[in-house]
Amino acid sequence: MTNSSERPGASQLPSVEYGLIKAHAIAALVTVLISATFGIIVSLKLHTPDFASASPFLTWGRLRYNHTQGIFFGWLGNAFLMFLYYAVPMLAMRPVLSRKLGWILFALWNFAVVLPGWLLVSAGFSQPLEWGEFPLIVDAFVVLAFIGLVAQFTIPLLKSKLSSLYVSGWYILGGLIFTLFAYPIGNVMPELVPGAQGAAYSGLWIHDAIGLYVTPLALAIAFFVVPLVTKKPIYSHFLSMLGFWLLFLVYPLNGTHHYVFSAIPMDAQKGSIIASVYLGMDVILVVANILLSMRGCSKLLKEDLSLRFVWMGTILYLIVSLQGSMQALMPFNRLVHFSDWVIGHAHLAMLGFATFTAVGGMAYVWQRIPGARFSRRALDHAYWLLLIGMIAMVSLLTAAGLSEARVWETALPWLDSVRAAKDFWMYRTFSAILIIGGFISLYTSFFTGTKNEITVSPSHSVAEDVDNADASKVPKRLSMAYAAAGIGGIGFFLLSFTVLAVIPGLALQKEIKRTKPATMLSATEQEQRGRIVYAREGCAYCHTQQIRTVPSDVSRFGAPTRAWENRYDYPHLWGTRRIGPDLSRETSIRSDDWQLTHLYNPRSIVPDSVMPSFPWLFDGSPAKPKAEAVDLLAYIKSLGKARQLAGNDPKQFTLAPNCECPDEVKKIETTPVPLDASGATRTVGVPPFEVTLPTDAAKLADLQRKGAIVFARNCQGCHGEMADGQGPAAEGLLPKPAGLIEANYTTKHLVSVLMNGVPGTSMPAWRDLPRSDIEALVAHLKILPERAVYITSAEEMASKEVQAGKKIYEQKCVSCHGIEGDGKGPAAAGLVRPAANFKEIQPEPDDLLNVLENGVPGTSMPPWKDQLTEQERDYLSRYVQAFFVEDKKK
Amino acid sequence: MIITLLILMTLLIAIYLIAWLCSPSLRRHLERPNHQFMDNCEKFEQARQKLSG
């Protein structure tokens, strides 16, 4: 790279660093293939969750982190840098600051950020913050790289006269400088300020990542490529600058729209919603300007693929921005937030707008690299594969999101939303194959086809060295115009920082002081260790920890999350998506055994679950958790504990006294609601309804068939396919699941157990099942294989065996099971698991004898083999069976 | 306060845009970029063609 330059006879033309352009292009193409592969595995795991599930390195959460960070830094970062090395010398008429610095930055970007970031996340070192998943050590290198990039590209631009700086130069300046500010704030502040306050900063970065980094650099490409290909100036210089300044004013103000209906002060939420609408208007202005610049160029769109990519990117920019404005609005946000709709939106932004524009810029530059090969045909294939794949993926995710949102608005079980989305996820994987094909074609287009005829590498010359030496001097003073523009830009950034983070943070501090309980224990060391496991495995990317002030959240999960509940969370784990349910009130919903079995193999206990399994946290069995699993369990059990201990005092509503909240929010905040509304929480009480099974045989048979399906979907993980209590989850549960074929049950008992669960066991309540499902389940359980019974007549009841059993019962069993056998003995109140009510349960003889001999492990029922002879146990079992008062069958 | 500011700014921009649309003289004034972007790029293109030629 030491030969002549691209400016024969024109010493004022600066050099272009083609070596760096090639290197960044190759890095972009390699990293996008790797990142897209991460993405396709993530997609595959959503509908085939057991695929590659044994290795922690390939678990869903870690791959999801690496997918988005790889696209952000590896793909788009390198693609943008490739473009900048070509465009900045033309925009500034000066070379970039230093070639040496360029190679250092290349190494830093790819071998100190992307590669170690991936490896560290795979090894379990990460940060659970959206678009900030690489760990803090990598963040340090990102900031270092951005300092270098600012120097490399902005110094040449700043040396130009303000009036001679084209709009692409403005976008490059803005994008690089403000990302340098925004990145550390978004990545470090949530580690320094807790919970809701940290979420406010986090929201800033979530949007700044797109608004201050991706969008400006993509628009720089669009404004660069369009006039050069069409050979016409842009439609309006004035509109281009107006669009630029509006973008930098309103984009950073969007951040809090990721936390609408949350505990963040309503004023900040409303401000971000207004800014989101404003942004939509700005984007219309920007896009109109770009598209008007292309008027009359339809033929060129067919011929020039770089222009076609940019054109499509611009259209997608309009669509995704208007979609973003719409979904920030409260009535829409209430429905689709947390659903796959938002994932579709993110793909439309990153895979649609950003990728298409970036490819347009790359293709334009690549065709001008001396000696580079280029296949137009392969790029054309890439265009169509990427376009069809992207449209299919976004459409499927949008449809999945709407399906999820529809279920969330009802009282149907959470799992129904997963079932509703599963097919869409499967087809989404197929669309991802098209996208990977598109990227492979893109790669092919850059390394096959005809060779660029420029034979002399125009990289460096003596004259350029003079230019470089000149450029290496940092301007001693900026012109007044630059200073004014700089102050304006920094002012906009500080405005967003102040309005969306500092002021809400101060308001939250007051709010927390006003509403927090007198004492709130901080997390134990074990809980903190568990929190680290929770964060590293990406649990927050499927389970939120914020119940919003919307009816569907409150009726499904319980009272809205207060700001003080997360005041020890560094960083916050509020989450921005729900595939699984919210965990804010998880503390007492499930048993320890259930949680551990679920972590070990979720599908063993919830057959339709798509949660990843975490076998590396166990020693080969759910009954043998390693220390990390126990820590994680402690953390999960701590979620909502402080709120539970504080009680559900209606005075603790979070509305600031002068809050101008929407009526629906005020209504929820001022109406007492249950702290925990989970349909699975075990309780004691009379079930809310009775079930009467149809007498008509055909109707009953229909109901029983439906019940068998409901049983298979919800119950057989524990109770087994044959309802014998030997399901795959039984291994880790104590007490063991009931063998439903080993006893007769009254209808009332079955309804009670289904609606209340069984305290002291892993049997949850199933209150979120529709009543029709409960009725069907009861009908199904009634026809399980007929059980053997002893007592068939009054004569047998009076037999000496039964009477002998009665005597033993009165001596040994009454204290718990009661004189009437109804489980209401004097000692019953102290039992965690209620004593069996033999009026409603009639165990079969073998089961009874087994229980009498060995007791029921995990409960207060002791073994009686040392205290009662075999004959006495036989008598006792006969008597116990006699209590049963309903559904006696021969 | 922020909302008021945004509304005022919207009005200001709207006035500018209407004036830009309606007044050719103002439009000429606003559309007076001094940047040499197209010319500069043309020079690069010419240089490239010379090289390839």
Side-chain angles (χ1 to χ4, degrees):
Chain A
M1 305 288 284
T2 55
N3 34 22
S4 71
S5 81
E6 192 183 336
R7 48 187 196 129
S11 61
Q12 68 272 35
L13 287 184
S15 62
V16 175
E17 297 297 341
Y18 288 110
L20 282 164
I21 289 174
K22 275 187 181 174
H24 278 294
I26 293 167
L29 293 168
V30 170
T31 51
V32 76
L33 287 173
I34 296 171
S35 304
T37 305
F38 290 150
I40 205 167
I41 300 173
V42 164
S43 175
L44 190 65
K45 279 171 173 272
L46 280 177
H47 53 88
T48 315
D50 288 324
F51 175 75
S53 63
S55 164
F57 306 109
L58 294 175
T59 190
W60 188 92
R62 300 187 198 184
L63 285 170
R64 159 71 170 75
Y65 286 180
N66 275 340
H67 170 58
T68 50
Q69 292 284 267
I71 293 293
F72 190 77
F73 289 109
W75 160 233
L76 291 176
N78 278 301
F80 289 149
L81 288 174
M82 176 212 186
F83 166 75
L84 292 182
Y85 277 108
Y86 184 81
V88 168
M90 295 191 192
L91 292 164
M93 286 309 278
R94 286 169 176 78
V96 295
L97 187 64
S98 157
R99 177 189 297 173
K100 200 172 176 182
L101 176 62
W103 284 109
I104 291 171
L105 288 173
F106 174 80
L108 203 57
W109 194 263
N110 290 291
F111 302 110
V113 174
V114 179
L115 190 60
W118 278 341
L119 294 174
L120 285 169
V121 167
S122 298
F125 300 95
S126 54
Q127 202 181 15
L129 296 175
E130 197 84 60
W131 295 114
E133 291 88 349
F134 281 168
L136 279 171
I137 180 70
V138 174
D139 292 340
F141 287 106
V142 174
V143 174
L144 200 61
F146 266 100
I147 292 170
L149 293 176
V150 168
Q152 179 81 318
F153 297 114
T154 63
I155 288 175
L157 289 169
L158 288 172
K159 290 186 80 173
S160 309
K161 282 182 187 170
L162 179 70
S163 58
S164 68
L165 190 60
Y166 178 62
V167 63
S168 288
W170 281 101
Y171 275 114
I172 292 166
L173 280 176
L176 294 178
I177 292 172
F178 292 116
T179 305
L180 174 61
F181 293 153
Y183 189 85
I185 289 173
N187 280 265
V188 176
M189 289 304 283
E191 300 280 355
L192 302 176
V193 290
Q197 292 161 273
Y201 285 96
S202 189
L204 271 181
W205 169 244
I206 292 175
H207 222 82
D208 287 351
I210 309 301
L212 296 185
Y213 167 71
V214 173
T215 300
L217 296 178
L219 288 179
I221 292 174
F223 278 111
F224 187 89
V225 171
V226 168
L228 293 184
V229 175
T230 60
K231 302 200 185 302
K232 289 191 300 186
I234 53 166
Y235 177 71
S236 167
H237 172 70
F238 167 68
L239 290 183
S240 71
M241 292 312 298
L242 184 63
F244 167 81
W245 283 107
L246 278 177
L247 183 140
F248 274 87
L249 169 64
V250 293
Y251 240 125
L253 287 170
N254 277 228
T256 306
H257 77 196
H258 293 268
Y259 297 114
V260 177
F261 294 111
S262 72
I264 291 178
M266 187 53 70
D267 289 346
Q269 295 182 35
K270 281 184 173 176
S272 70
I273 294 169
I274 292 166
S276 305
V277 175
Y278 218 95
L279 179 64
M281 294 192 285
D282 177 41
V283 171
I284 291 172
L285 203 71
V286 172
V287 169
N289 196 17
I290 296 173
L291 294 182
L292 283 169
S293 304
M294 288 192 234
R295 64 196 188 285
C297 299
S298 52
K299 198 178 169 193
L300 263 180
L301 282 176
K302 286 181 188 166
E303 291 168 359
D304 192 298
L305 285 169
S306 54
L307 185 70
R308 198 198 297 170
F309 267 102
V310 169
W311 170 74
M312 182 50 69
T314 306
I315 290 170
L316 296 171
Y317 179 47
L318 178 67
I319 296 169
V320 75
S321 300
L322 294 181
Q323 187 194 32
S325 302
M326 185 175 68
Q327 69 198 39
L329 299 174
M330 281 183 157
F332 206 78
N333 188 285
R334 185 178 55 197
L335 285 175
V336 300
H337 193 52
F338 295 140
S339 77
D340 274 297
W341 170 288
V342 183
I343 310 305
H345 174 68
H347 280 85
L348 191 55
M350 300 298 270
L351 181 61
F353 159 54
T355 291
F356 273 77
T357 314
V359 172
M362 287 178 78
Y364 180 85
V365 173
W366 191 261
Q367 292 174 73
R368 285 153 183 82
I369 295 179
R373 289 188 179 279
F374 176 71
S375 165
R376 189 188 179 282
R377 195 176 166 195
L379 190 65
D380 193 36
H381 291 162
Y383 177 84
W384 289 110
L385 285 168
L386 286 173
L387 185 63
I388 295 167
M390 187 274 300
I391 290 173
M393 181 177 283
V394 173
S395 305
L396 288 163
L397 286 169
T398 304
L402 290 172
S403 304
E404 290 162 341
R406 186 182 59 83
V407 174
W408 295 347
E409 286 291 305
T410 68
L412 289 169
W414 180 268
L415 210 55
D416 277 6
S417 69
V418 176
R419 292 178 185 125
K422 245 181 186 174
D423 285 348
F424 293 113
W425 289 335
M426 188 181 70
Y427 293 120
R428 192 269 286 258
T429 303
F430 291 117
S431 70
I433 293 169
L434 290 179
I435 289 164
I436 291 237
F439 284 125
I440 291 170
S441 287
L442 176 65
Y443 189 95
T444 310
S445 75
F446 280 17
F447 295 100
T448 58
T450 50
K451 206 170 181 180
N452 194 323
E453 287 180 1
I454 299 174
T455 50
V456 184
S457 175
S459 87
H460 222 61
S461 71
V462 177
E464 286 160 11
D465 283 336
V466 175
D467 276 349
N468 273 332
D470 179 44
S472 66
K473 289 176 190 165
V474 178
K476 284 180 183 166
R477 64 181 177 82
L478 295 172
S479 71
M480 282 303 289
Y482 268 125
I487 290 168
I490 291 169
F492 286 175
F493 182 75
L494 289 178
L495 177 73
S496 71
F497 182 70
T498 308
V499 169
L500 293 189
V502 176
I503 294 175
L506 294 172
L508 280 168
Q509 276 183 349
K510 280 186 192 170
E511 204 60 36
I512 289 169
K513 202 175 171 186
R514 188 171 69 83
T515 57
K516 71 183 170 70
T519 55
M520 177 180 168
L521 297 176
S522 56
T524 63
E525 279 186 26
Q526 188 182 39
E527 288 163 1
Q528 285 172 11
R529 289 196 302 271
R531 193 173 191 280
I532 292 169
V533 178
Y534 183 93
R536 90 169 181 218
E537 304 299 358
C539 306
Y541 279 22
C542 291
H543 296 283
T544 57
Q545 287 183 29
Q546 50 159 330
I547 301 174
R548 303 200 303 163
T549 45
V550 295
S552 57
D553 266 28
V554 172
S555 61
R556 188 177 287 278
F557 303 119
T561 301
R562 308 298 190 219
W564 64 261
E565 289 183 54
N566 309 109
R567 70 190 171 116
Y568 295 131
D569 282 1
Y570 297 88
H572 73 94
L573 288 169
W574 270 10
T576 53
R577 185 194 193 186
R578 284 179 187 154
I579 293 178
D582 185 275
L583 298 182
S584 303
R585 306 281 174 256
E586 192 64 15
T587 182
S588 56
I589 295 178
R590 311 278 186 177
S591 73
D592 291 5
D593 287 352
W594 190 98
Q595 297 282 13
L596 289 171
T597 302
H598 192 235
L599 288 170
Y600 180 74
N601 180 4
R603 276 151 299 289
S604 71
I605 204 159
V606 184
D608 283 345
S609 169
V610 296
M611 188 172 115
S613 40
F614 301 96
W616 53 92
L617 301 178
F618 295 82
D619 204 5
S621 156
K624 295 177 186 171
K626 290 181 183 170
E628 284 197 330
V630 178
D631 293 344
L632 180 56
L633 174 66
Y635 173 67
I636 291 170
K637 284 176 67 183
S638 76
L639 297 174
K641 190 165 67 182
R643 182 67 186 275
Q644 196 178 58
L645 290 171
N648 194 19
D649 184 352
K651 287 179 190 166
Q652 281 183 336
F653 65 84
T654 53
L655 292 181
N658 56 351
C659 176
E660 292 186 9
C661 301
D663 287 344
E664 62 176 341
V665 174
K666 272 185 187 164
K667 190 179 170 189
I668 289 173
E669 289 282 21
T670 52
T671 307
V673 290
L675 191 57
D676 166 18
S678 167
T681 303
R682 290 151 297 161
T683 182
V684 177
V686 179
F689 57 83
E690 289 180 10
V691 169
T692 307
L693 297 177
T695 49
D696 180 80
K699 282 184 184 170
L700 184 62
D702 276 350
L703 200 59
Q704 286 163 338
R705 273 194 291 275
K706 183 184 174 191
I709 296 167
V710 178
F711 184 87
R713 280 183 152 191
N714 300 291
C715 314
Q716 74 177 32
C718 296
H719 294 286
E721 201 175 343
M722 305 305 293
D724 54 0
Q726 300 296 321
E731 182 188 4
L733 304 180
L734 199 66
K736 296 292 176 195
L740 299 170
I741 53 169
E742 292 163 358
N744 288 312
Y745 301 93
T746 62
T747 301
K748 184 184 165 192
H749 178 77
L750 290 173
V751 177
S752 177
V753 167
L754 287 168
M755 297 306 288
N756 296 327
V758 182
T761 74
S762 295
M763 173 69 183
W766 294 90
R767 283 186 297 277
D768 51 1
L769 281 182
R771 183 171 169 166
S772 59
D773 281 6
I774 297 285
E775 288 172 350
L777 257 182
V778 170
H780 170 68
L781 293 172
K782 284 287 197 180
I783 56 152
L784 288 173
E786 195 169 301
R787 296 83 172 172
V789 290
Y790 292 117
I791 310 300
T792 55
S793 66
E795 291 77 30
E796 282 181 67
M797 185 65 199
S799 68
K800 68 170 188 178
E801 290 88 352
V802 174
Q803 290 308 310
K806 182 182 178 188
K807 280 185 185 170
I808 299 165
Y809 181 87
E810 285 169 356
Q811 287 171 5
K812 307 286 186 188
C813 313
V814 164
S815 61
C816 292
H817 293 283
I819 191 76
E820 301 291 333
D822 54 4
K824 292 180 181 169
L831 302 178
V832 179
R833 184 196 174 183
N837 178 350
F838 296 121
K839 286 189 164 183
E840 297 182 346
I841 307 171
Q842 189 184 39
E844 68 165 11
D846 287 349
D847 185 46
L848 258 178
L849 290 171
N850 179 40
V851 167
L852 287 170
E853 186 178 347
N854 301 311
V856 181
T859 73
S860 302
M861 177 68 188
W864 291 95
K865 64 183 171 191
D866 296 334
Q867 297 176 56
L868 297 174
T869 64
E870 194 176 339
Q871 190 178 47
E872 286 172 325
R873 296 200 299 270
D874 180 56
Y875 292 162
L876 181 57
S877 69
R878 286 165 187 268
Y879 179 70
V880 164
Q881 286 221 322
F883 283 118
F884 195 62
V885 292
E886 192 196 27
D887 300 328
K888 277 187 190 175
K889 290 178 183 176
K890 289 186 180 178
Chain B
M1 192 187 78
I2 293 295
I3 294 169
T4 313
L5 277 175
L6 283 171
I7 291 170
L8 286 174
M9 204 181 71
T10 310
L11 284 173
L12 190 69
I13 293 165
I15 291 166
Y16 251 95
L17 277 174
I18 291 166
W20 177 77
L21 283 169
C22 302
S23 163
S25 58
L26 178 68
R27 191 165 174 166
R28 269 197 301 278
H29 177 70
L30 291 172
E31 297 290 354
R32 59 180 207 300
N34 293 326
H35 65 75
Q36 307 289 313
F37 173 62
M38 296 288 283
D39 295 340
N40 292 342
C41 292
E42 184 63 24
K43 285 179 193 167
F44 272 86
E45 198 58 35
Q46 284 170 0
R48 187 191 328 280
Q49 281 166 7
K50 280 185 186 176
L51 273 175
S52 56

